[in-house]
Amino acid sequence: MITFRNIELRRGTRTLLSGVNLVINPGEKIGLVGRNGAGKSTFFALLTGDLQEEKGEVEIPEHWRLAQVEQHMPETDSSASDYVLESDAALQVASQALKAAEASNDGMAIAEAHLALADAGVHDALSRAQSLILGLGFKPHELDLPVNSFSGGWRMRLQLARALMCPSDLMLLDEPTNHLDLDALVWLESWLQRYSGTLVIISHDREFLDAVTKITLHIDHGQISRYGANYSGFETLRTQELILQQAAFVKQQDRINHLQHFIDRFKAKASKAKQAQSRVKALERMEKMSPMLNEADFTFAFKEPLQLPNPMIAIQNGSFGYKNDDESTVILSGVGRSVLSGQRIGILGANGQGKSTFIKTLSQSIPLVSGEMVQGKGLNIGYFAQQELDVLRPGQSPLEHMQDLARRGIGSSKEQEIRNFLGTFRFADTMVHQAVGTLSGGEKARLVLAMIVWQRPNLLLLDEPTNHLDLMTREALAMALNDFDGTVMLVSHDRSLLRSVCEEFWLVSRSGIADFKGDLDEYQRYLLEQSKAMKDEQSGKKANKSSPNSKRNPKSSTQPPETSEGLLSMTPNRTGDLAPANLSREDKKLEQQKRLERERALQAQIQPLKKELQATELRLQTVQAQVLTLEASLMQDLSPQERAQNGKALKSLQEEASNLEEKWLMLGEHIEQSHALPTA
């Protein structure tokens, strides 16, 4: 176990930890939370030995192996697979020992090295490394690409894969989800749930913490409090603590006021002087309680849009991708979509399928490759880029960024009004003059949000807006988006934000963009199934390559065994029931007659459902045709009144189509269930 005894640590004149006593048991999965600057990174530095406590003692078992994500950007021409494989220290030591033994021709040392390699799992090490890489969002063809060919975010994913690959007893992860898409995050969640060592995570993703951790450590005012619950449980327990603390504080204040009143009243009276002095001593001995001190709330709101065009954007036969000179790379094609006023759309899709490309094209950061995209009159887009520096200038201050917007005729040009506005986003005093390049990731993200709010948009295009935002700011963002009158299109791996904001989901894939009818839990299951299918496909390819008989053996390993005892005496009949195979001819004839009667009864039962299903299908086809006609009309040059009228009609038809689809599916399920159920 890890033990902290009376730990005290200062940085300059500031006390980060004081009198901390803590025990972390083997195998515990812990979430480390606290406001920015509370000391979370300092806690990690104590565990890694990068910082030494000024007082007290930290005890970590000597044999424990540590794994953490290295923060430096890797620079190497090694392949992605080799780079991750190199992080397995035991495997590398054994490999070097084998080379040395072979060089000296020492037979005993060679045998021992082979044993060490086997113990280190050399036979499946490469497949384990590649499984980690694929799980974090890389494609199979990228496994052998050099590390230097990847962008910074993808190299950080490789650093995370190295931490997961390294055998460890203690793993420290500081914001591991920042560079991940939702599909990679779901995979990482599943992997960490199976991790057998001790895990400590710093994260601002509520659902990620809830899914992985069982213990929460809260750092506040130099103290570390331990809670036997995940983050949501911690919030409940913490709130109860604060309420009790405030109640006890109020009660003590009443007691103090009562004693002080007695002292003030009778201290000059000789007959009561002794009692007054006694109460003075009681006050001096009393251990004073502190009032409830919770972190100050952070809130902001989007201004009411000046206009709400409907539709805001209409796309017909659109192709999305990149144009390079005379060549074009198409990622999405055949897209026909309308973005309507008031929609709350979550953009889902596996990594690399084109989510960011789609959002960038809508924001006009990159052009449409082909097709037509028409913007509604008065459209005003607020775009949050996945990389904040895409819209920020490192050498300028927050105040200069806002003044630049004012010079373009956006908002007030009065400096005091701008400073007051920046103050609501926690840019106060000298921070308004600080160069953006020196700000933290969270401060940059808050500045981008401030700039978007200032522009008074009616369409928000948000591409991973929660990267670097703490939990408090994420909550404030969710509240602001829910109060926003315009349209929201959101790409995010923060499921809590998606759940609280989005009312519908679009699934982006190579085949285009389609409505996703399920919820986020169903999408999470879909992602895990996709990941498993990819892993099975990779395993199958390797098995085919390694098996000399794979081409000659026509039987699949997934075929059921031929000698299952449960099926030897039973055979399925036409209705799917299992009937004895050794019936006499007369019994079989009687059984067939009963089956025919059951089928007639079944047909009589489902015939009305089939008629209703057919009518629903015909109506759905009619509505879908009308939707296509209206969407095409919105591409034409219409008057504002006609455009508004057609937009309302389109939204109504789309809602009807959605309801008809649900009804069609429900009727189909009823018919299938009727087929599956036996009839008396």
Side-chain angles (χ1 to χ4, degrees):
M1 67 177 63
I2 299 173
T3 306
F4 284 62
R5 291 193 181 93
N6 199 30
I7 297 299
E8 187 168 311
L9 183 65
R10 293 188 181 90
R11 183 165 290 177
T13 59
R14 184 183 172 201
T15 300
L16 292 177
L17 298 175
S18 177
V20 171
N21 292 284
L22 179 69
V23 172
I24 297 176
N25 298 305
E28 287 185 329
K29 292 182 170 64
I30 296 168
L32 184 63
V33 300
R35 60 182 173 78
N36 290 337
K40 299 188 293 294
S41 297
T42 300
F43 183 84
F44 269 22
L46 283 173
L47 292 175
T48 59
D50 294 334
L51 280 180
Q52 294 297 318
E53 60 277 10
E54 296 176 15
K55 183 180 177 183
E57 186 178 15
V58 179
E59 289 185 2
I60 302 176
E62 291 184 4
H63 65 279
W64 273 23
R65 299 162 296 177
L66 173 68
Q68 62 177 331
V69 178
E70 298 175 18
Q71 295 303 312
H72 72 274
M73 198 66 68
E75 295 288 346
T76 175
D77 291 325
S78 298
S79 71
S81 297
D82 289 341
Y83 182 66
V84 172
L85 197 60
E86 289 167 4
S87 67
D88 191 333
L91 189 62
Q92 297 306 311
V93 169
S95 298
Q96 293 300 322
L98 179 60
K99 290 179 181 178
E102 289 175 340
S104 62
N105 200 26
D106 186 337
M108 182 61 70
I110 291 174
E112 291 176 351
H114 277 293
L115 285 173
L117 282 170
D119 290 340
V122 67
H123 300 298
D124 67 342
L126 181 60
S127 64
R128 283 188 285 117
Q130 293 183 340
S131 176
L132 292 172
I133 297 170
L134 293 173
L136 290 173
F138 290 81
K139 298 291 182 274
H141 71 271
E142 295 175 325
L143 292 171
D144 296 322
L145 293 181
V147 172
N148 286 341
S149 67
F150 296 105
S151 65
W154 288 98
R155 292 192 211 180
M156 292 311 296
R157 292 196 192 202
L158 289 176
Q159 295 287 48
L160 176 57
R162 282 170 62 91
L164 303 182
M165 182 68 187
C166 179
S168 61
D169 304 289
L170 172 63
M171 184 179 294
L172 307 178
L173 298 179
D174 189 350
E175 291 292 353
T177 66
N178 269 358
H179 300 283
L180 301 184
D181 293 325
L182 184 54
D183 51 337
L185 187 151
V186 169
W187 176 88
L188 178 62
E189 237 176 47
S190 177
W191 194 95
L192 292 176
Q193 286 168 350
R194 300 191 303 271
Y195 176 66
S196 59
T198 302
L199 177 66
V200 185
I201 301 174
I202 298 173
S203 177
H204 292 127
D205 189 320
R206 173 191 300 272
E207 292 207 17
F208 179 73
L209 287 173
D210 280 350
V212 175
T213 66
K214 303 296 182 186
I215 304 293
T216 300
L217 298 181
H218 180 229
I219 303 182
D220 186 43
H221 295 94
Q223 297 295 310
I224 300 180
S225 303
R226 177 186 169 102
Y227 297 82
N230 60 15
Y231 184 80
S232 293
F234 151 74
E235 278 193 321
T236 301
L237 294 171
R238 173 71 173 163
T239 301
Q240 292 172 351
E241 273 187 3
L242 292 172
I243 292 172
L244 290 173
Q245 179 184 340
Q246 182 66 12
F249 172 76
V250 170
K251 188 175 181 179
Q252 187 182 64
Q253 290 302 303
D254 289 342
R255 173 66 175 162
I256 290 172
N257 291 335
H258 178 74
L259 291 173
Q260 190 64 50
H261 178 71
F262 185 92
I263 294 167
D264 293 340
R265 184 179 178 186
F266 296 112
K267 62 182 178 181
K269 194 171 183 180
S271 61
K272 297 286 187 178
K274 189 173 182 180
Q275 293 93 323
Q277 189 61 33
S278 173
R279 284 161 174 74
V280 169
K281 291 180 179 179
L283 271 180
E284 292 173 350
R285 290 194 301 268
M286 186 180 295
E287 184 177 348
K288 303 298 189 297
M289 293 181 177
S290 301
M292 181 175 66
L293 295 175
N294 201 2
E295 296 173 359
D297 291 333
F298 168 61
T299 59
F300 69 96
F302 290 95
K303 299 176 183 178
E304 182 181 356
L306 297 175
Q307 299 182 61
L308 288 173
N310 193 26
M312 294 197 163
I313 297 177
I315 306 163
Q316 189 172 26
N317 197 28
S319 293
F320 295 77
Y322 296 91
K323 290 183 177 180
N324 297 315
D325 298 328
D326 296 330
E327 295 183 0
S328 297
T329 301
V330 176
I331 299 176
L332 299 170
S333 61
V335 176
R337 287 267 149 178
S338 293
V339 180
L340 304 179
S341 175
Q343 283 186 296
R344 299 285 193 273
I345 304 168
I347 308 297
L348 305 178
N351 174 67
Q353 296 299 303
K355 300 187 299 295
S356 292
T357 302
F358 178 59
I359 293 294
K360 284 181 180 178
T361 307
L362 294 183
S363 71
Q364 296 187 318
S365 298
I366 58 176
L368 190 69
V369 174
S370 65
E372 189 175 10
M373 182 170 69
V374 179
Q375 294 186 344
K377 185 178 180 181
L379 181 68
N380 184 13
I381 294 175
Y383 173 46
F384 189 106
Q386 187 169 357
Q387 301 297 329
E388 295 92 352
L389 286 180
D390 288 353
V391 294
L392 296 179
R393 297 173 293 280
Q396 292 187 357
S397 68
L399 182 60
E400 288 172 322
H401 277 78
M402 300 300 297
Q403 288 173 332
D404 183 58
L405 290 177
R407 280 192 290 270
R408 286 189 274 151
I410 303 173
S412 172
S413 60
K414 296 180 180 178
E415 181 175 329
Q416 190 57 50
E417 286 187 25
I418 295 175
R419 292 174 69 100
N420 291 342
F421 176 77
L422 285 172
T424 64
F425 283 83
R426 295 187 171 177
F427 293 99
D429 302 328
T430 59
M431 278 194 71
V432 299
H433 297 295
Q434 189 174 336
V436 165
T438 65
L439 297 177
S440 68
E443 290 164 343
K444 291 174 186 173
R446 287 206 311 276
L447 177 57
V448 174
L449 285 174
M451 292 171 65
I452 291 174
V453 171
W454 185 261
Q455 295 175 61
R456 206 165 184 171
N458 48 34
L459 171 61
L460 292 174
L461 303 176
L462 308 178
D463 191 359
E464 296 293 357
T466 59
N467 283 351
H468 308 296
L469 293 183
D470 59 24
L471 280 159
M472 188 189 310
T473 310
R474 292 186 187 204
E475 293 288 346
L477 175 61
M479 292 173 62
L481 290 176
N482 283 325
D483 291 336
F484 178 56
D485 291 333
T487 298
V488 178
M489 300 185 74
L490 173 63
V491 178
S492 179
H493 64 255
D494 188 324
R495 285 157 296 175
S496 179
L497 183 65
L498 286 169
R499 288 184 206 277
S500 61
V501 172
C502 298
E503 297 171 353
E504 58 183 295
F505 296 103
W506 291 2
L507 180 61
V508 176
S509 65
R510 292 294 181 178
S511 59
I513 300 176
D515 294 323
F516 185 80
K517 295 299 184 182
D519 58 17
L520 284 177
D521 292 328
E522 290 172 300
Y523 181 65
Q524 183 167 324
R525 288 192 291 271
Y526 162 79
L527 290 175
L528 290 173
E529 288 170 3
Q530 293 288 97
S531 176
K532 184 178 183 299
M534 182 183 293
K535 185 177 179 181
D536 291 343
E537 183 181 349
Q538 286 296 112
S539 301
K541 287 179 180 178
K542 290 175 184 176
N544 288 336
K545 289 179 181 179
S546 61
S547 174
N549 299 321
S550 59
K551 292 184 180 180
R552 290 178 291 165
N553 183 9
K555 291 191 176 182
S556 166
S557 61
T558 59
Q559 286 183 322
E562 296 179 351
T563 58
S564 174
E565 293 182 5
L567 296 178
L568 283 178
S569 60
M570 305 292 283
T571 57
N573 58 32
R574 285 176 58 198
T575 60
D577 299 327
L578 288 176
N582 57 349
L583 289 175
S584 67
R585 184 179 300 177
E586 293 179 358
D587 289 337
K588 286 181 179 179
K589 188 175 180 179
L590 181 61
E591 182 66 29
Q592 185 179 14
Q593 184 177 354
K594 290 180 179 178
R595 186 169 64 249
L596 288 172
E597 291 175 357
R598 287 198 298 268
E599 287 180 353
R600 290 193 192 101
L602 178 62
Q603 289 300 323
Q605 179 182 347
I606 66 175
Q607 194 62 33
L609 294 175
K610 285 185 175 180
K611 287 183 179 180
E612 190 175 359
L613 179 68
Q614 187 177 12
T616 303
E617 189 171 1
L618 288 173
R619 176 57 185 165
L620 179 59
Q621 291 173 356
T622 302
V623 171
Q624 287 174 336
Q626 291 174 346
V627 167
L628 291 174
T629 302
L630 275 176
E631 286 181 338
S633 73
L634 291 170
M635 299 294 178
Q636 308 303 320
D637 187 14
L638 302 175
S639 67
Q641 293 82 0
E642 289 175 322
R643 188 172 292 277
Q645 185 178 358
N646 288 359
K648 290 179 180 178
L650 176 61
K651 186 173 183 180
S652 176
L653 284 171
Q654 286 176 331
E655 289 176 355
E656 184 181 357
S658 177
N659 293 332
L660 286 169
E661 286 175 353
E662 290 181 7
K663 184 178 180 181
W664 185 85
L665 289 170
M666 182 182 68
L667 289 169
E669 288 177 1
H670 284 332
I671 292 172
E672 289 178 2
Q673 290 170 1
S674 297
H675 275 298
L677 291 172
T679 55

